[in-house]
Amino acid sequence: MRVRGLGAIAAAVMATTTLVTACGGDSDAGGGDGGGGKVRLALVAYSTPQAAFEDIIKAFQKTPEGKNITFTQSFGASGDQSRAVANGLKADIVEFSLETDITRLVKAGIVAEDWNSGPTGGILTKSVVVIGTRKGNPKGLKTWDDLVKPEVEVITPNPFTSGAARWNLLAGYGYKSSKGADQAAGLTYLDALLKNVPVQDDSGRKALQTFTGGKGDALLTYENEAIFAQQNGQELDYVIPDSTLLIENPVAVTKNSAHPAEAAAFLKYLYSVEAQTIFAKNGYRPVVDGVTGFDWPAPPQLFTIRDLGGWDKITTEFFDAKTGKVAEIERKLGVATEK
């Protein structure tokens, strides 16, 4: 277990962004398709990487490939964003929390089937699930078992809108089930954990805001979100459990982009050392070599979604809105599972 205060990572990556609700935006309100030779790309992403993308876009626009490209930006709960693109929201580049939010667009004919054929398998950033606590960790919450104790309130979002929530729950499930070997024990744990969750927001960023607003004793979140909160002066510490789940966030360009060459150039830039360093400054673990100056602790029992059977199996068994095992637990608690 690693207990992390502001520490080595956060001290090295002090951000200048403010803690805001993720929403749409435009990196160049004066630009537009055909105006002065500029091309406008639409970026649609999950809620947490907004600050990183704003800095990455500025850096990209200083390159020869990006000098004539402007962006519209939309950020929100991963599942909601994916469904919006499937239903017609314009997107040239999409980044989501979960692989399944990309594969929804593959099935809809919006993203190519070979989107994950590159060296990183389509993964743009990595993180791990951590336990956020009040400053100084007054309740001594350090392990997964601590989170199911009586009178402990845990903040985590709704897994039927938020990709972050699915990572969070599967991290606890993987620990208690010995990476899926004892499913009954894992599900019993999730039942106890969710009983300790007083409110389920629709995204990871909103859950962070709920916690920093004063509700709850612990916050299940991405490592990068905990770092983001510290960078922005929030009174929060975090613990990396000895056993936790590796988070892998996918990215793709769309098949129906009106500007495929420019979208491909931006995608390529996202994997550059320059862009990956900006992600690292925002708390994400890079996926390419050459990003230096950061201390990324290695949890001794780190596991992946593949250890649990992969997203197809997990999504069907756990997160089908009608028949999934997590859906069944949530319905008993009166939580909505249909979106």
Side-chain angles (χ1 to χ4, degrees):
M1 170 188 61
R2 289 288 294 269
V3 179
R4 308 290 286 181
L6 189 55
I9 298 176
V13 300
M14 291 302 293
T16 58
T17 55
T18 56
L19 188 61
V20 297
T21 301
C23 60
D26 192 328
S27 64
D28 185 349
D33 292 338
K38 288 191 174 183
V39 164
R40 178 168 292 169
L41 297 179
L43 168 67
V44 178
Y46 70 112
S47 63
T48 64
Q50 180 177 6
F53 270 119
E54 288 175 350
D55 289 343
I56 286 169
I57 286 171
K58 291 175 184 176
F60 176 63
Q61 289 171 328
K62 295 177 182 179
T63 69
E65 295 79 12
K67 66 179 180 179
N68 290 321
I69 300 177
T70 64
F71 291 78
T72 60
Q73 302 173 60
S74 173
F75 299 91
S78 187
D80 288 348
Q81 292 289 82
S82 174
R83 282 184 284 269
V85 173
N87 290 328
L89 176 65
K90 181 183 177 183
D92 298 285
I93 307 101
V94 292
E95 196 214 2
F96 298 133
S97 174
L98 303 177
E99 180 181 318
T100 50
D101 289 331
I102 297 282
T103 55
R104 174 185 288 113
L105 303 186
V106 173
K107 294 175 182 177
I110 297 170
V111 168
E113 291 186 2
D114 64 350
W115 69 273
N116 56 356
S117 61
T120 70
I123 300 304
L124 180 61
T125 55
K126 295 181 179 180
S127 191
V128 295
V129 178
V130 303
I131 300 170
T133 69
R134 298 293 167 198
K135 195 71 174 177
N137 197 0
K139 288 199 171 183
L141 305 175
K142 299 178 180 180
T143 70
W144 290 105
D145 292 323
D146 290 336
L147 302 184
V148 294
K149 291 179 178 178
E151 299 182 1
V152 172
E153 283 194 342
V154 180
I155 301 301
T156 187
N158 186 322
F160 294 91
T161 58
S162 167
R166 296 191 181 190
W167 289 115
N168 295 345
L169 296 185
L170 291 173
Y173 168 83
Y175 157 73
K176 201 64 177 180
S177 68
S178 299
K179 295 189 290 189
D182 187 348
Q183 186 179 92
L187 290 172
T188 297
Y189 177 82
L190 291 184
D191 185 87
L193 175 66
L194 287 167
K195 286 177 180 175
N196 278 3
V197 178
V199 59
Q200 296 185 28
D201 295 299
D202 64 10
S203 74
R205 178 55 53 85
K206 288 182 181 178
L208 172 63
Q209 292 171 336
T210 293
F211 184 74
T212 56
K215 192 167 186 63
D217 305 300
L219 170 73
L220 286 175
T221 190
Y222 303 118
E223 177 186 45
N224 54 278
E225 275 290 83
I227 293 171
F228 174 86
Q230 291 179 338
Q231 290 171 339
N232 286 278
Q234 300 295 329
E235 293 291 312
L236 176 148
D237 287 339
Y238 68 96
V239 174
I240 302 176
D242 287 346
S243 177
T244 193
L245 182 58
L246 178 68
I247 295 167
E248 299 171 293
N249 308 124
V251 66
V253 296
T254 59
K255 291 165 56 177
N256 58 356
S257 170
H259 308 289
E262 290 82 1
F266 183 60
L267 179 65
K268 181 179 179 181
Y269 179 76
L270 292 176
Y271 287 103
S272 68
V273 171
E274 184 175 45
Q276 288 283 308
T277 298
I278 294 172
F279 276 124
K281 287 179 179 179
N282 282 271
Y284 292 88
R285 298 183 178 216
V287 297
V288 302
D289 295 332
V291 178
T292 60
F294 301 90
D295 169 28
W296 302 110
Q301 300 169 42
L302 185 65
F303 56 96
T304 73
I305 195 65
R306 291 170 290 284
D307 293 321
L308 300 180
W311 276 118
D312 286 346
K313 177 177 183 292
I314 287 294
T315 301
T316 299
E317 291 189 6
F318 285 67
F319 300 112
D320 183 279
K322 295 181 179 179
T323 63
K325 293 178 171 62
V326 172
E328 181 180 350
I329 294 171
E330 292 280 57
R331 280 195 296 271
K332 289 192 299 182
L333 297 172
V335 176
T337 62
E338 299 274 1
K339 296 295 176 183

